[in-house]
Amino acid sequence: MCKVDTIHEGSAPVSKEVSRTIPPWPGPVTNNFHKGLSIDGSPQRGYSCVSTATKDSWERLFDEGYRADVSVNTDDGGIIYAHANILGMASPAMKGLLKQSSRFRRQRSISILGVPHDAVRVFIRFLYSSCYEKREMEEFVVHLLVLSHVYLVPQLKQECEKKLEHGLLTTENVVDIFQLALLCDAPRLSLICHRMILKNFKTVCTTTGWKVMKKSHPALEKELVESMIEEDNRQKERIKKVNERKIYLLLYEAMEALVHIYKDGCQTIGPSDKDFKENQAPCKYVACKGLELLVRHFAGCKLRVPGGCIHCKRMWQLLELHSRLCANSHTCRVPLCRNFKERIKKQSKKDEIRWKMLVKKILTTKRIAEYICID
């Protein structure tokens, strides 16, 4: 016998006629059980472990059609024999169809058309034993998803969605599955398909499924294109914010390095009262090397006035930024710190707002970076 996957829904009544020839419907037992049996990650109520012999009996009942009282008509004149009580208990929709079927005839009949005969057989078999073979699921997963939705069999529907999510969903069939998920009220599956389409948009656009959808459902195609544009814009915005955060962190590190140079000294540059040792440990501030060159240039440049030299202009901006971040300008050893504090009071409102926004973003970015490091 082929290895099968099994789902157990719980106990259900069967007719007296059937119960004389087969074991009870698979249900909760108290021996040889597995606690915490789950379907798609959701814990089931009670305990469930059905022996192979019990499942084989239900499989044999379906295969042999013993005392079957319903014939299921499929495409190409195919017929599958089944039992009304079992179909009705496993599927509320089937129960309604069977009630509508003629009661004057001993053999009732229902039709399931539009899907392959073998897919219908796998579906009916699942109603008996909650089993399916891996090969059949892979071959008929789309048809089984439709049948489970139409005939209200949530366990099979969950299995189809799970199998599609974990392997059977590809760039070739994702557009078809996406449309099917929308029709079959499968929000999780439709979301997964939507994400796959956006992630592999260029590849998906070349598939047959996309071309067919473009002709049959142009509104859906337009919606997906708009979603792709929005996602692309969001991605660009995320990249922009990441780059901005990097710049703000670099500015904060530059401010720390600036204080380090004028307070403690670094390698070959520092305050006049600092004694430099020949074998100093490497500086921990990455920005020190660049700042050292900038400070040396600033000290000897003849066009030091703001706007006269781009390097000096950058140094003036760093000094002003430091003064806005400095908490105690009276004891600070960075040049012009106190002067800039006084100058700030005379600046225009527009410049003041611009500088305050920059300082706020730098401090916020630094706090976020520290929080991430702690976590």
Side-chain angles (χ1 to χ4, degrees), residues 227-364:
S227 296
M228 184 60 211
I229 294 172
E230 291 177 4
E231 179 63 23
D232 190 49
N233 291 335
R234 283 195 294 268
Q235 183 66 19
K236 290 179 180 178
E237 188 65 25
R238 282 194 291 268
I239 293 172
K240 181 181 176 181
K241 288 183 178 179
V242 169
N243 292 333
E244 285 179 353
R245 290 192 190 105
K246 289 180 180 178
I247 292 172
Y248 296 143
L249 282 175
L250 288 174
L251 284 173
Y252 190 88
E253 290 171 3
M255 294 300 99
E256 289 185 324
L258 192 66
V259 173
H260 164 65
I261 288 173
Y262 284 103
K263 182 180 179 181
D264 305 319
C266 180
Q267 301 295 326
T268 60
I269 191 170
S272 56
D273 58 348
K274 176 72 176 179
D275 294 328
F276 295 98
K277 299 178 182 179
E278 293 184 2
N279 299 321
Q280 294 187 59
C283 181
K284 66 177 182 178
Y285 295 100
V286 180
C288 262
K289 187 174 182 180
L291 274 175
E292 181 181 341
L293 296 174
L294 193 60
V295 169
R296 288 185 183 278
H297 170 84
F298 185 73
C301 183
K302 296 180 180 180
L303 300 174
R304 193 186 301 176
V305 292
C309 171
I310 57 171
H311 300 295
C312 291
K313 183 179 179 181
R314 187 177 297 118
M315 188 65 191
W316 283 111
Q317 290 171 339
L318 289 175
L319 291 172
E320 182 170 356
L321 180 59
H322 161 77
S323 69
R324 291 177 176 275
L325 290 169
C326 184
N328 192 352
S329 59
H330 295 284
T331 58
C332 180
R333 303 193 65 175
V334 176
L336 305 176
C337 182
R338 194 184 308 175
N339 296 54
F340 274 110
K341 288 283 188 183
E342 295 296 326
R343 182 186 170 188
I344 289 171
K345 300 175 183 178
K346 301 177 183 180
Q347 278 186 336
S348 65
K349 189 174 182 181
K350 183 178 180 181
D351 289 339
E352 181 66 16
I353 292 172
R354 182 164 54 87
W355 277 103
K356 281 186 176 180
M357 287 180 63
L358 177 61
V359 169
K360 182 180 179 181
K361 288 179 179 179
I362 290 173
L363 294 176
T364 302

Side-chain angles (χ1 to χ4, degrees), residues 3-7 59 122 125-126 129-134 136-137 144 156 159 162-163:
K3 185 178 179 180
V4 296
D5 297 321
T6 306
I7 304 174
E59 296 266 331
V122 174
R125 176 193 179 193
F126 186 89
S129 61
S130 296
C131 297
Y132 59 84
E133 295 181 11
K134 183 179 178 181
E136 294 173 336
M137 173 61 78
L144 293 174
L156 179 56
E159 280 297 295
K162 187 166 64 176
K163 296 301 179 184

Side-chain angles (χ1 to χ4, degrees), residues 25 34 63 68 74 93 164 189 223 228 239 371 375:
W25 185 277
H34 297 291
D63 291 333
T74 64
L164 284 166
L189 181 59
E223 184 179 334
M228 184 60 211
I239 293 172
Y371 179 77
D375 287 352

Side-chain angles (χ1 to χ4, degrees), residues 92-307:
M94 285 277 191
K95 182 185 289 186
L97 288 175
L98 291 169
K99 285 182 179 180
Q100 294 174 9
S101 182
S102 176
R103 298 182 180 180
F104 297 100
R105 298 170 56 186
R106 185 175 180 182
Q107 186 78 23
R108 283 180 282 187
S109 175
I110 58 175
S111 297
I112 301 180
L113 307 175
V115 294
H117 172 85
D118 290 341
V120 179
R121 186 171 183 83
V122 174
F123 173 67
I124 299 297
R125 176 193 179 193
F126 186 89
L127 300 184
Y128 275 73
S129 61
S130 296
C131 297
Y132 59 84
E133 295 181 11
K134 183 179 178 181
R135 175 188 58 80
E136 294 173 336
M137 173 61 78
E138 291 175 353
E139 184 177 357
F140 301 117
V141 62
V142 174
H143 305 293
L144 293 174
L145 178 61
V146 174
L147 290 171
S148 61
H149 173 71
V150 172
Y151 292 101
L152 306 178
V153 186
Q155 293 82 7
L156 179 56
K157 186 176 180 180
Q158 290 173 8
E159 280 297 295
C160 292
E161 292 181 32
K162 187 166 64 176
K163 296 301 179 184
L164 284 166
E165 180 181 347
H166 296 98
L168 299 182
L169 192 64
T170 65
T171 53
E172 287 295 324
N173 66 11
V174 66
V175 174
D176 296 328
I177 301 300
F178 177 60
Q179 295 177 84
L180 195 61
L182 294 175
L183 293 172
C184 293
D185 190 25
R188 177 180 171 82
L189 181 59
S190 63
L191 178 60
I192 291 169
C193 292
H194 190 265
R195 288 177 177 174
M196 178 178 276
I197 291 171
L198 296 184
K199 187 178 180 180
N200 307 276
F201 192 74
K202 292 183 178 179
T203 304
V204 172
C205 282
T206 62
T207 61
T208 305
W210 180 273
K211 294 173 183 177
V212 173
M213 179 195 66
K214 190 174 181 179
K215 293 180 180 179
S216 59
H217 298 91
L220 183 58
E221 187 256 354
K222 182 181 178 182
E223 184 179 334
L224 286 172
V225 171
E226 290 175 351
S227 296
M228 184 60 211
I229 294 172
E230 291 177 4
E231 179 63 23
D232 190 49
N233 291 335
R234 283 195 294 268
Q235 183 66 19
K236 290 179 180 178
E237 188 65 25
R238 282 194 291 268
I239 293 172
K240 181 181 176 181
K241 288 183 178 179
V242 169
N243 292 333
E244 285 179 353
R245 290 192 190 105
K246 289 180 180 178
I247 292 172
Y248 296 143
L249 282 175
L250 288 174
L251 284 173
Y252 190 88
E253 290 171 3
M255 294 300 99
E256 289 185 324
L258 192 66
V259 173
H260 164 65
I261 288 173
Y262 284 103
K263 182 180 179 181
D264 305 319
C266 180
Q267 301 295 326
T268 60
I269 191 170
S272 56
D273 58 348
K274 176 72 176 179
D275 294 328
F276 295 98
K277 299 178 182 179
E278 293 184 2
N279 299 321
Q280 294 187 59
C283 181
K284 66 177 182 178
Y285 295 100
V286 180
C288 262
K289 187 174 182 180
L291 274 175
E292 181 181 341
L293 296 174
L294 193 60
V295 169
R296 288 185 183 278
H297 170 84
F298 185 73
C301 183
K302 296 180 180 180
L303 300 174
R304 193 186 301 176
V305 292

